[in-house]
Amino acid sequence: MAFVVFVCSAALIFIPFDRLGVDKPIFAENYESQIVIAAIASAAVLSLELVSTIWRIIQWPYQRFRAKQARKKSSEKAFYSLNLNELCVCWAMTQQGVETVLAYYNSPVIVSMRHKGALRAVPGMGSLTELPHAMPEELYNLVKERGLSRFPDDFRNSPRFEDEVRRMYHDAIDW
């Protein structure tokens, strides 16, 4: 809008009507001072919009960096707050190479993981009782790198470790 006002008012002020062989419109002569004020005001608004746009462009990489840091911090907080059952679900997902799982939406383990930010419900193909849940990428990478070390030593070194992880995983999603 400011651009249109600026262009119209600047045209009425700066077009050389006498060179074109056309009379200057009467309203332009009568309201010349108001037209000049409108041109100055619209130029000020345009310059503010330009400065604001440049500022947003400059800030964009910084905001992306801050958002990435916040996601990383949130994922670490979720990672360290996982109990054994939740850690088994995350570990099983990383071992299967999947970031999403179809699970009952009211399973206590899944609900707890959603509240901690370890899983989020994803809109998509589901049923009345099951919903797809996705693990954030940062948490997925964290569990893949450091998940095994979070398990208790006696549990991790148990000969039935994989079986117990699978059992806990299926108990959580097939509740």
Side-chain angles (χ1 to χ4, degrees):
M1 181 71 180
F3 180 72
V4 173
V5 171
F6 178 73
V7 168
C8 292
S9 58
L12 288 173
I13 294 170
F14 296 112
I15 288 181
F17 290 103
D18 53 343
R19 276 195 187 161
L20 296 174
V22 180
D23 291 336
K24 190 172 188 176
I26 294 173
F27 76 90
E29 291 176 2
N30 292 341
Y31 298 104
E32 189 169 4
S33 60
Q34 287 89 349
I35 293 172
V36 169
I37 291 171
I40 292 170
S42 61
V45 169
L46 283 174
S47 62
L48 284 175
E49 286 179 2
L50 180 66
V51 168
S52 172
T53 301
I54 290 171
W55 182 253
R56 275 182 286 164
I57 290 171
I58 290 170
Q59 288 292 315
W60 183 68
Y62 177 69
Q63 290 171 348
R64 267 187 44 202
F65 173 75
R66 292 278 310 251
K68 186 176 180 180
Q69 292 296 330
R71 283 192 309 270
K72 185 177 178 183
K73 185 177 180 181
S74 172
S75 292
E76 283 194 20
K77 181 180 175 186
F79 176 68
Y80 288 114
S81 70
L82 295 174
N83 63 29
L84 185 61
N85 290 336
E86 296 163 349
L87 189 59
C88 285
V89 170
C90 290
W91 180 254
M93 289 173 69
T94 59
Q95 294 307 299
Q96 293 171 10
V98 296
E99 291 184 23
T100 60
V101 63
L102 188 63
Y104 283 96
Y105 72 91
N106 59 350
S107 164
V109 175
I110 299 300
V111 170
S112 174
M113 291 176 74
R114 276 198 317 255
H115 285 290
K116 292 177 181 179
L119 288 179
R120 58 183 164 75
V122 178
M125 300 299 286
S127 67
L128 291 174
T129 56
E130 291 183 321
L131 287 174
H133 292 81
M135 186 185 329
E137 185 179 351
E138 292 82 9
L139 181 61
Y140 181 87
N141 293 334
L142 203 57
V143 170
K144 197 167 187 111
E145 292 170 8
R146 295 189 265 169
L148 190 59
S149 64
R150 282 277 332 276
F151 287 108
D153 289 335
D154 57 338
F155 183 76
R156 181 178 59 226
N157 297 329
S158 166
R160 297 189 38 86
F161 171 71
E162 291 296 325
D163 295 333
E164 285 297 312
V165 168
R166 255 191 309 273
R167 183 188 60 76
M168 288 183 186
Y169 171 75
H170 288 291
D171 287 350
I173 66 170
D174 295 336
W175 185 70

